[in-house]
Amino acid sequence: MTLGKGCNVAFIGTGIMGAPIAGHLLDAGYNLTVYNRTREKAEGLLARGAAWADSPAAAARHADVVFTMVGYPEDVEEVYLSTNGLIRSARKGAWLIDLTTSSPQLARDIHDAAEVCDKHAFDCPVTGGQKGAQEGTLTLIAGISEKDAAPVRALLDAFSSQIYWFEQPGAGQLAKLCNQVSLAASLAGAAELIALAEQAGISPKLVSQMVGAGMGGSAQLSRVMPAALEGDYKPGFLAEHLRKDLRLALEAADDLQLTLPATETSLNLVDMLCQVGGERLGTQAVALLYADEATGVAAGLDWGKLDTSGPAEVPDEQSPARQRYFTNPRNL
Ligand code: NAP
């Protein structure tokens, strides 16, 4: 059976990505009920006609399709697998679609648990950023086959421009982690391009334009880093979410006995940004790791928070200031 306009849809997690995605489902004519941990972030949708529910279970009670777009695997686990989670509370036959970037194994567990309870669950992380969510042009990375997803295809099309079908539960998440591995390396490259140009006294904007038009270009350079060049570090994609993704990617690689040194370096950079107070900044704030200290402080960073007790290559006897010097990539 294909689910058409007028069917009941629940949406859980109305943050940077979830709110605009849910907005497209409203625009497409679905009856929408929303729940978010912090209600204020759902107010825009409520003003446009969505109904509010006080819990994921209440949101799912009458839903034919439930979307989730929360932050971390722990949030996904709570929303799906806790006593009042979706696996128990959703209707029999309901579709449960997780858009969060999360753990492949958790996606498999949720799929299997749903099947036992006569529900359909699949992982469907997205790429395309806040702009793609706002414009309804996301790329969806589905852990299900096109044939099996046919009943919910119209809902997916309401906020995407292309869908890649990875057929198996958890495979959508694995493919998304591949995306993040590539994204993070491009992000570091874009930040280092700016650092090198600035230090050399040539215009980072002009260099970015030149590189963007050629073989060194990337979406990180042309769509994410320009904000940093304007001193804008507001989150489109939170640094702490990229840290989560890279940890998940390295866990997946570890399971496959694969080493990803460039991803380890990218994770070290993003982790450093998070440690010094940049966890809620956008990923373009990686550029601040290469900037002078005053620029970082003006953006809210505090280098005194850096945890230098880890397995750093810095000898213990060095002073905190000297340790900070050696853990700042600009100085390495
Ligand atoms: P976000 O703004 O933090 O949104 C997550 C939302 O989920 C928040 O509003 C949060 O509530 C809510 N939430 C978390 N746990 C919940 C729970 N147990 N019950 C109900 N609501 C809960 O982050 P985002 O940027 O939208 O990203 C969401 C996911 O998509 C992340 O996994 C991220 O890695 C991924 N992603 C992001 C982008 C991007 O460009 N932003 C692109 C692709 C994928 P609060 O309001 O209380 O915090």
Side-chain angles (χ1 to χ4, degrees):
M1 184 185 81
T2 303
L3 292 162
K5 293 194 194 323
C7 79
N8 294 326
V9 177
F11 204 103
I12 294 158
T14 56
I16 292 173
M17 298 293 283
I21 293 172
H24 290 297
L25 292 164
L26 260 184
D27 291 342
Y30 297 102
N31 299 322
L32 188 70
T33 300
V34 295
Y35 169 71
N36 189 63
R37 192 169 50 194
T38 309
R39 181 177 164 137
E40 294 81 73
K41 291 189 191 165
E43 292 296 351
L45 292 162
L46 302 182
R48 290 173 53 197
W52 172 257
D54 279 326
S55 66
R61 190 162 297 132
H62 303 294
D64 303 296
V65 184
V66 184
F67 286 98
T68 49
M69 185 45 134
V70 292
Y72 292 88
E74 300 75 42
D75 301 322
V76 174
E77 191 170 337
E78 181 192 323
V79 167
Y80 281 83
L81 300 177
S82 64
T83 320
N84 287 321
L86 297 175
I87 295 295
R88 283 198 179 188
S89 56
R91 288 162 49 166
K92 279 198 189 309
W95 286 83
L96 312 175
I97 306 173
D98 186 27
L99 307 174
T100 316
T101 306
S102 176
S103 141
Q105 184 56 50
L106 180 58
R108 289 189 281 268
D109 292 346
I110 288 171
H111 168 271
D112 293 351
E115 205 165 59
V116 170
C117 299
D118 294 324
K119 295 158 199 179
H120 317 278
F122 67 95
D123 48 309
C124 191
V126 310
T127 182
Q130 183 181 25
K131 189 162 180 280
Q134 288 165 342
E135 293 175 353
T137 56
L138 290 169
T139 295
L140 308 189
I141 312 168
I144 188 171
S145 70
E146 182 170 12
K147 180 169 161 281
D148 288 348
V152 292
R153 178 63 189 264
L155 290 98
L156 300 177
D157 285 341
F159 56 89
S160 67
S161 58
Q162 50 187 339
I163 308 179
Y164 287 89
W165 305 100
F166 284 90
E167 312 268 336
Q168 298 300 320
Q173 293 297 355
L174 275 165
K176 168 74 186 187
L177 297 180
C178 295
N179 183 75
Q180 299 311 79
V181 159
S182 172
L183 174 158
S186 313
L187 178 71
E192 296 199 353
L193 172 159
I194 291 170
L196 181 58
E198 271 177 352
Q199 197 74 3
I202 54 177
S203 162
K205 278 188 191 170
L206 193 59
V207 176
S208 297
Q209 267 176 29
M210 176 277 291
V211 172
M215 297 295 275
S218 69
Q220 296 305 303
L221 182 62
S222 57
R223 288 169 49 190
V224 176
M225 245 348 138
L229 286 171
E230 301 300 328
D232 173 4
Y233 303 104
K234 276 196 309 295
F237 180 36
L238 289 161
E240 64 180 2
H241 281 167
L242 180 56
R243 175 171 62 174
K244 170 250 314 173
D245 296 350
L246 297 180
R247 285 177 175 158
L248 287 168
L250 289 175
E251 272 170 38
D254 206 35
D255 289 346
L256 297 164
Q257 296 175 339
L258 177 68
T259 307
L260 301 177
T263 305
E264 283 171 13
T265 301
S266 304
L267 174 58
N268 284 339
L269 289 171
V270 177
D271 185 43
M272 190 184 294
L273 174 63
C274 292
Q275 279 185 38
V276 298
E279 66 270 44
R280 302 291 295 174
L281 297 179
T283 49
Q284 71 273 23
V286 164
L288 288 169
L289 297 176
Y290 301 82
D292 59 65
E293 195 162 346
T295 307
V297 170
L301 300 192
D302 176 359
W303 280 93
K305 291 181 180 166
L306 190 67
D307 177 6
T308 49
S309 63
E313 300 76 10
V314 187
D316 280 341
E317 64 271 14
Q318 288 182 339
S319 71
R322 195 166 154 69
Q323 289 190 23
R324 278 204 293 284
Y325 178 87
F326 279 109
T327 45
N328 183 340
R330 184 179 182 136
N331 302 323
L332 294 176

